[in-house]
Amino acid sequence: MHDIAAGRFAVWATAWLTGRSSYDEALDVLLGETAHRVVGLPGTDEAVPLGWALSSLRGLGEQRLRLVLPVPGDTRGLPAVPELVALGLEAGQAAVGTRLALVPEALGPEAVSWTAVSLDGAPPLAPPVEGNLRAVSGALDLAVGDSARTLAALDLARWNPEVPGLLAGLARTVHAPGLPADHDPVALSVLGRAQRLSQVLDLAMADAPGAAVTHAQAAARDEALRPLATAVREATVAAYNWIPRG
């Protein structure tokens, strides 16, 4: 969850579609030093540059894209298009509009392949519930506190000594980079914390080589981390999907 390509695409495509960013600025940020190609874009028969997807969105009349982070058992936000649901679950992320959705696949550190899926004819989605940034920030706090106490009781530091330090460092404000200049500072802060907590989850879920972790201990750890993983996912979605009001 550290690199949410669909989140970057959703937030910058929305900024361009709503006139808050130029095409060149949005495309420069999205491309970075990585090669991007899009397959399945309406009107194309082969892979095309990522910029074509931005132009296609405007041509289709899209006004906003949203990040969706589907997991097994919770695909809220994904239109009921079998191809999209399968791709979204495999990737764990998707950028979803009303006419088109795009799902990224990393092909290594320097290349991303995007699959575009037409939403024409898909059953309409219920209006999304926009996450309140302060509410999801509070949920993160609660989940961190509960998880930290449980993980301490499980002696997680013995499995991975980096975790306590990462948890202790969450008190420092860390703003996620690479978002539009007018993005809410609270959203930047929430996203920065969510990204740090994703690192905690990765480390905590990885059994140290040679560690004597019983099945019961691993199950208790996984159960303790589940609320934190949910809070991180919801905070990430809310932070990326924030747009200025008015």
Side-chain angles (χ1 to χ4, degrees), residues 62-233:
E62 293 281 17
Q63 297 182 341
R64 178 180 182 184
L65 270 71
R66 289 179 172 85
L67 170 66
V68 178
L69 297 176
V71 295
D74 184 2
T75 59
R76 287 174 297 172
L78 283 184
V81 177
E83 179 188 6
L84 176 60
V85 173
L87 288 170
L89 283 171
E90 183 177 357
Q93 54 180 294
V96 179
T98 58
R99 300 284 308 280
L100 199 67
L102 290 103
V103 180
E105 178 189 2
L107 302 179
E110 298 180 352
V112 178
S113 174
W114 295 81
T115 300
V117 179
S118 173
L119 303 180
D120 290 347
L125 284 173
V129 177
E130 302 292 355
N132 179 285
L133 291 174
R134 298 194 183 278
V136 297
S137 180
L140 270 183
D141 291 337
L142 291 174
V144 168
D146 291 344
S147 299
R149 285 188 291 272
T150 304
L151 294 174
L154 293 171
D155 194 17
L156 184 71
R158 178 170 57 86
W159 305 350
N160 203 313
E162 295 180 67
V163 172
L166 280 172
L167 286 172
L170 289 173
R172 300 193 304 271
T173 299
V174 179
H175 287 173
L179 294 178
D182 61 353
H183 217 69
D184 190 314
V186 176
L188 298 177
S189 176
V190 166
L191 184 56
R193 292 173 62 218
Q195 290 174 341
R196 293 279 299 281
L197 285 167
S198 288
Q199 297 176 6
V200 172
L201 288 168
D202 284 350
L203 291 172
M205 292 297 289
D207 297 336
V213 180
T214 68
H215 178 74
Q217 287 174 320
R221 173 200 61 190
D222 296 351
E223 185 65 26
L225 291 173
R226 189 168 293 113
L228 180 59
T230 298
V232 166
R233 187 162 61 98

